[in-house]
Amino acid sequence: MIEANQGHEVSYGDDSWTEKASNLIREVFETDCDVFFVFNGTSANSLSLASLCQSYHSILCHEIAHVESSECGAPEFFANGTKVLLLDGANGKIDPKSIERAVNKRTDIHYPKPRALSLTQATEVGTVYSVDELRALADVAKHFQLRIQMDGARFANAMISLGQTPKEVTWKAGVDVLCFGGTKNGLGVGEAVVFFNKDLAREFDYRCKQGGQLASKMRFLSAPWVGLLKDGAWLRHAKHANAMAQRLEAAISVIPKVTVSFPVQSNGVFARIPEHVVDGLHQLGWKFYTHIGGWEESRLMCSWDTTPEDVDSFAADMRKLSA
């Protein structure tokens, strides 16, 4: 940021920093793709989904997906009324059979025609789609001519869990557009919308402008991406966060009456914790969400700067309160 603040640059994304960051993303994914930078994940998801649909279409996503439960109707708003239809599946992951059921539920002109499939990687409960699972979903989606959008707010954490190359988990698996998360991986602000299917990016710059996402000083959104990507910091940050989540799971899973609800595959631990213990932890100053979206789990997230001491101290307080 300091380096990008030196001298003068052209506005609205035509600067050298945005070009550098875009080229680094192309190198990471080993393909030519169109890249756009926006302020946050809600705008990335909403505008990218809007680019895949007409207002009379529908978007298929998991019933607990972020685009359904945590974006205040923004996907429908920016797509001028495109309806979000919900799919089921264990551990926050879409069951491929539910896609076929949703598409074939009704095919008459009175029903919003399914056009896009939104996948969350890593999911809202911290689980990760394998490459085989992604390909199975893509096979069904493409059969029904659905375009595939990936909400990758925690894409880096999924990459560490999978141990695959970025291309194998995205465009080679059938993903058309990725919302590549930066703020969940150490950036102060800014997400990247990456179109692997460049035809779908047509006039996306106009969507960004209309949606209030075209920064005049775009270099301050894109320059931190240069620092994050150029020497692999994005993966180091994610690897550390995932390791802290594994440490946390090991520490609290042995505490009586505390149950870890989902496989820990990224940087979050979702656990059922007695209410008096939750209240006690909050009183001690620990910050975490509970009952998100009606779930009974507490959402314990580890970040790029969570320390082993943080984890051990939290677990120690939980043990004391549970005694």
Side-chain angles (χ1 to χ4, degrees):
M1 289 285 283
I2 293 172
E3 189 177 349
N5 197 34
Q6 307 302 309
H8 297 274
E9 281 280 3
V10 180
S11 301
Y12 300 112
D14 292 326
D15 59 277
S16 63
W17 288 99
T18 301
E19 182 180 14
K20 289 177 188 176
S22 298
N23 285 334
L24 281 169
I25 287 174
R26 294 178 184 113
E27 290 178 16
V28 164
F29 290 96
E30 301 179 64
T31 190
D32 186 23
C33 49
D34 284 344
V35 182
F36 302 85
F37 295 95
V38 296
F39 289 100
N40 56 33
T42 295
S43 57
N45 281 328
S46 302
L47 294 175
S48 64
L49 285 168
S51 72
L52 307 184
C53 300
Q54 296 291 337
S55 59
Y56 49 83
H57 286 145
S58 57
I59 298 162
L60 307 183
C61 69
H62 195 277
E63 59 190 349
I64 61 169
H66 201 271
V67 297
E68 156 62 16
S69 64
S70 301
E71 291 183 342
C72 197
E76 295 98 327
F77 176 79
F78 282 102
N80 294 319
T82 298
K83 188 173 180 60
V84 173
L85 300 178
L86 307 183
L87 308 178
D88 57 18
N91 294 326
K93 295 193 281 188
I94 293 170
D95 181 344
K97 294 179 181 177
S98 68
I99 300 173
E100 183 174 0
R101 288 195 296 268
V103 172
N104 289 331
K105 181 179 180 181
R106 284 176 60 181
T107 57
D108 58 272
I109 200 169
H110 305 285
Y111 195 71
K113 185 177 183 179
R115 176 58 68 193
L117 175 67
S118 179
L119 305 174
T120 311
Q121 180 77 313
T123 73
E124 285 300 293
V125 292
T127 53
V128 173
Y129 288 100
S130 69
V131 172
D132 287 342
E133 287 173 325
L134 290 172
R135 288 175 177 165
L137 287 164
D139 285 345
V140 179
K142 298 302 182 182
H143 175 74
F144 291 111
Q145 298 181 318
L146 303 179
R147 295 153 178 171
I148 301 176
Q149 181 257 13
M150 179 175 281
D151 175 357
R154 293 182 174 85
F155 178 76
N157 303 96
M159 286 298 310
I160 292 299
S161 180
L162 291 170
Q164 298 282 342
T165 62
K167 67 180 179 182
E168 294 292 339
V169 189
T170 53
W171 60 271
K172 289 196 74 175
V175 175
D176 293 304
V177 56
L178 167 71
C179 297
F180 190 3
T183 55
K184 296 294 191 295
N185 200 20
L187 296 189
V189 63
E191 311 286 289
V193 181
V194 184
F195 283 88
F196 303 111
N197 184 339
K198 296 178 68 173
D199 291 340
L200 298 176
R202 183 174 176 270
E203 297 186 344
F204 189 74
D205 50 348
Y206 284 83
R207 287 194 182 275
C208 290
K209 174 61 179 179
Q210 188 181 62
Q213 298 300 310
L214 181 62
S216 57
K217 297 181 179 179
M218 186 66 77
R219 67 188 185 277
F220 295 123
L221 288 184
S222 57
W225 278 93
V226 175
L228 194 66
L229 296 172
K230 67 180 181 181
D231 62 355
W234 70 290
L235 292 174
R236 290 198 303 275
H237 287 179
K239 183 177 181 179
H240 174 78
N242 286 15
M244 292 301 98
Q246 293 289 336
R247 186 185 186 100
L248 179 60
E249 178 195 25
I252 70 171
S253 61
V254 296
I255 298 175
K257 298 182 179 179
V258 173
T259 304
V260 175
S261 302
F262 302 99
V264 178
Q265 297 176 334
S266 54
N267 65 317
V269 180
F270 290 76
R272 296 195 176 202
I273 304 170
E275 189 171 352
H276 75 277
V277 177
V278 170
D279 292 341
L281 289 166
H282 284 162
Q283 290 171 13
L284 290 172
W286 294 105
K287 308 295 184 185
F288 57 94
Y289 291 114
T290 58
H291 312 303
I292 299 296
W295 311 334
E296 297 181 4
E297 285 78 19
S298 292
R299 177 178 178 264
L300 310 174
M301 303 304 297
C302 298
S303 72
W304 63 278
D305 65 345
T306 299
T307 67
E309 292 76 19
D310 292 332
V311 172
D312 295 347
S313 180
F314 179 84
D317 284 344
M318 185 181 287
R319 282 193 294 272
K320 290 176 185 176
L321 292 164
S322 298

